[in-house]
Amino acid sequence: MRVAALSGGVGGARFLSGLVDVLDPGEVAVIGNVGDDVEVLGLHVSPDLDSVLYALAGIADEERGWGRSDETWNALETVAALGGEAWFRLGDRDLGLHLVRTRALRDGTPLSAVTADLAASLRIETRVLPATDDPLRTHLLTPAGRFAFQQWFVARGHRDEVDAVEYEGAGEARAAPGVLEALETADLIVLAPSNPYVSIGPILAVAEIRLALARRRVPAVAVSPLIGGRAVKGPADRMLQRLAGGTSPAHVAARYEGLIDALVLDEVDEAGAAELSVRPIVTRTLMRDVSARRRLADATLEAAGALT
Ligand code: GDP
Ligand code: CA
């Protein structure tokens, strides 16, 4: 079964590692968020694509929850000691990847080609595609002002409530090479349990991608990132509460109106299944370990099979 999966960083990457465990990794194409991308110390960092690459290569740091395993921080400590830009945490091994990517981008290689090369070097068989090669950057409007994504998320610790989300550049952004083909040739489209506003939102802000989903001829299933109405990590629950008026499964599904046929939700949220206008798939959705990830992937695929 060929699957195209829209994904943000950590939550998405965890889900994808389960998906490639139960499928042939070559059957999965990931369409990743680039709205978080940021220039740090002159380097182009794509945090969500990298979370996916590291997870699929089996080199993600499970304890910290982001970045690479076996990481050291010598470069960043030196940067800090020299009074440089040290607010964004980049480990030594991680920096190596950013150096290679930045060099290639400066030589004129598109992000999609750079990402494919990185994936190949990491021996990843799954296609990892940025949603777009064009500049698309998420900005947040908050009571304290307008912030670029990482300014809000990392520098300010996402403490500001969000009144609106803007996807700068989305109007002109084209889908990256391979993205529309992946959506058109998939047997199933999955929206990973990623933040609907700042991970999946920027991907769907690319008109070609949204249209491909709206016109799909195969089932599309979203996995909720909320358990008991709360985000496992991060600001998704606070954002949904303030921007959509609640954190029930119906509030999550409404983010993807017309774009999904089913929502995978946690057992603890089962009461909310009745309000859904798409098919509910109730299962345990906490991806605590490898077997929980596999189980969630299996439940998603099984339910999707029933939709066709
Ligand atoms: P980011 O780009 O690194 O912030 O990651 P994502 O947007 O892909 O994922 C963040 C979302 O993942 C958060 O809203 C979490 O609630 C969700 N998440 C993390 N772990 C789990 C889990 O075990 N189960 C579910 N259902 N969601 C999770
Ligand atoms: Ca992200």
Side-chain angles (χ1 to χ4, degrees), residues 93-128:
R93 291 180 191 278
D94 194 28
L95 269 167
L97 185 152
H98 306 316
L99 288 167
V100 171
R101 171 167 43 217
T102 303
R103 172 76 266 165
L105 289 171
R106 295 230 169 108
D107 288 341
T109 312
L111 182 62
S112 54
V114 181
T115 308
D117 288 345
L118 292 170
S121 300
L122 292 167
R123 312 217 180 289
I124 294 169
E125 289 168 49
T126 299
R127 267 166 301 153
V128 181

Side-chain angles (χ1 to χ4, degrees), residues 24 28 42 65 121-122 127 143 147 184 221 229 233 263:
D24 174 349
V28 180
S121 300
L122 292 167
R127 267 166 301 153
F147 299 105
E184 278 152 19
V221 177
K233 202 180 164 201
L263 180 75

Side-chain angles (χ1 to χ4, degrees), residues 7-14 33 36 47-48 51 65-66 149 153 192-196 198-200 223-227 230-237 266 285-288 296:
S7 173
V10 176
R14 278 186 191 149
N33 173 37
D36 295 12
D48 285 6
S51 292
W66 54 271
F149 180 82
F153 194 83
S194 294
N195 187 309
V198 295
S199 291
I200 304 294
V223 183
S224 176
L226 302 188
I227 300 179
R230 303 290 305 270
V232 177
K233 202 180 164 201
D237 48 359
D266 196 87
T285 67
L286 186 62
M287 299 177 285
R288 194 186 290 110
L296 181 56

